[in-house]
Amino acid sequence: MSASTNSPDRPRRRRPYAPRVPIEERREQLLDAALAVIVSDGYDRVSIDAIAKRSGVARSVVYGAFENLDALLTALLDRQQARAFDMLLRTVPDAGDLRDPAPFASEAVRRMAGMLHEDPDTWRLILLPPGNMPAVVRDRIEADRERFRLLVEKWLSLALTDRSDPGLDPQVLAHALVACAEHFGRVALTEPDTFDLPRLTGQVRLILGALRPIR
C-alpha cells in the first residue's frame, strides 16, 4: 500500500524565512535585489517573484514593504536617480580657477573614475541601458543628463570668458564633453583595462589646454 500524500512523515517544503527587520532596512534590501535583477537580467525579467528569490524571502514579505511592483520600481528609480545626480555633482571640482579648463576637467575625470568604481551597478543602468528600459526611466535619466550638461556649459562659459575668439560655443562644447564623458564611462564599465586614468586625464589636459593656449 502506497504512503498517503498527507503522511506526517513526508517532509514539507518550507517557505523562505525572513527575519524581522525594520521596514526601511527591508525596503533597502528589496531595492538592492531589484537593482541586481535588472542589471543581470534586464527589465523584462524583473518581477515580485524574482525580487523575492534574489532576497531570499517570501512574496508576502515584498508585498509587506511595497504595494506592488510599480511602487517598488518607482522607489528604486527615485533612489538611484538621487544617488547618481549626487555623485555627478561631486565630480565637479570646487571652483578653483574655472578660467583654466584643463586641470579643472582632468580633476573631474579623476573623480568620475572613482564614481564608476564606487557604484558600478547604478552607472550600468544609466550608461548601458537595456533596450527594454521603460520610457519613464529614460526620461528621468535624460533630465539628469541635461541638468549636468548645463553645469558643464556654465563652467565652460566662465573658462572661455576672457578669450578673444568668439567662435568657441560653450553650449556646443558642453554637449560634446558630456557625450565624450558618457562614452568613456561605458568603456570603463565594459573594458576597464583599455583606458587607464593617467592616459585619459593626460588627453583631457592636452585637448582642453588647446582651447586656452598660454599667452
Side-chain angles (χ1 to χ4, degrees):
M1 185 175 179
S2 62
S4 168
T5 55
N6 295 322
S7 168
D9 296 330
R10 180 181 291 274
R12 300 182 62 183
R13 238 177 128 182
R14 303 183 66 177
R15 291 184 177 181
Y17 172 71
R20 289 187 175 276
V21 298
I23 187 63
E24 288 307 316
E25 183 179 336
R26 177 67 74 198
R27 285 176 178 156
E28 286 297 305
Q29 176 198 14
L30 296 172
L31 294 180
D32 288 341
L35 177 60
V37 171
I38 294 169
V39 167
S40 63
D41 302 327
Y43 281 97
D44 284 344
R45 305 299 292 274
V46 67
S47 65
I48 293 295
D49 283 336
I51 294 167
K53 183 177 180 181
R54 185 68 66 112
S55 300
V57 301
R59 286 166 51 91
S60 59
V61 174
V62 183
Y63 282 115
F66 295 98
E67 182 178 356
N68 51 40
L69 181 61
D70 283 349
L72 191 154
L73 292 179
T74 298
L76 175 64
L77 185 60
D78 288 341
R79 188 187 76 170
Q80 300 310 119
Q81 181 190 38
R83 285 183 180 179
F85 196 67
D86 180 63
M87 284 188 283
L88 272 178
L89 290 179
R90 284 189 275 126
T91 66
V92 180
D94 300 328
D97 184 6
L98 291 179
R99 292 172 298 176
D100 191 352
F104 185 84
S106 62
E107 172 63 12
V109 169
R110 187 190 68 77
R111 294 186 184 190
M112 284 181 180
M115 172 188 76
L116 293 172
H117 180 74
E118 176 186 342
D119 193 355
D121 282 351
T122 289
W123 294 104
R124 284 191 179 94
L125 286 184
I126 293 171
L127 298 175
L128 304 168
N132 55 355
M133 175 184 282
V136 64
V137 179
R138 266 196 309 273
D139 290 346
R140 291 176 70 165
I141 289 174
E142 182 56 39
D144 275 347
R145 178 184 290 115
E146 178 64 8
R147 283 200 286 169
F148 185 64
R149 189 198 60 75
L150 289 173
L151 285 176
V152 175
E153 182 181 334
K154 179 179 179 180
W155 73 252
L156 277 173
S157 297
L158 291 169
L160 300 173
T161 190
D162 62 344
R163 286 186 56 90
S164 59
D165 183 355
L168 291 172
D169 187 326
Q171 186 177 40
V172 172
L173 287 174
H175 277 281
L177 288 175
V178 170
C180 285
E182 290 186 352
H183 170 73
F184 285 111
R186 285 188 285 270
V187 169
L189 291 171
T190 58
E191 304 175 59
D193 297 327
T194 301
F195 298 97
D196 60 25
L197 186 58
R199 182 181 180 188
L200 287 177
T201 55
Q203 287 298 300
V204 166
R205 281 180 171 271
L206 182 65
I207 293 169
L208 290 184
L211 296 178
R212 186 175 182 270
I214 297 174
R215 298 174 183 176

